[in-house]
């Protein structure tokens, strides 16, 4: 078995996700250590996510669990 970087960085067939308690803090720390992010942290409601590539080109996501907005019973109707 031989490990190799992705042949085409524009195609994604998998990613590695790291759950962090503070996505924005992890983003700042990793950028300060040289990570080049594809996206800044984006708040999707249920989670905050940011993506970067490792030195071999593999896609890595850092993700902070959040809480989706809770609808009241009046809003659900």
């Amino acid at each position: 078995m031989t490990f190799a970087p992705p042949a085409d960085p524009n195609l994604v067939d998998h990613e590695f996700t790291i759950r962090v308690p503070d996505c924005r803090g992890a983003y700042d720390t990793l950028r300060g250590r040289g990570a080049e992010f594809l996206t800044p942290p984006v708040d999707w409601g249920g989670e905050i996510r940011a993506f970067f590539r490792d030195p071999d080109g593999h896609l890595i996501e850092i993700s902070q669990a959040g809480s989706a907005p809770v609808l009241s019973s009046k809003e659900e109707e």
Side-chain angles (χ1 to χ4, degrees):
M1 176 181 295
T2 302
F3 289 97
D8 183 349
N10 294 312
L11 297 176
V12 177
D13 63 357
H14 69 282
E15 70 177 68
F16 181 75
T17 302
I18 302 170
R19 188 69 79 173
V20 295
D22 176 7
C23 189
R24 289 179 180 92
Y27 172 84
D28 291 339
T29 297
L30 291 167
R31 281 194 65 202
R33 294 179 180 174
E36 296 180 14
F37 278 80
L38 303 174
T39 66
V42 176
D43 189 338
W44 294 96
E47 67 180 338
I48 300 170
R49 301 164 43 174
F51 294 88
F52 67 101
R53 292 193 183 276
D54 73 4
D56 289 327
H58 299 100
L59 186 63
I60 299 176
E61 171 189 3
I62 53 173
S63 172
Q64 174 185 334
S67 56
V70 178
L71 298 175
S72 70
S73 58
K74 193 172 215 173
E75 291 173 319
E76 291 174 349
E77 294 174 354

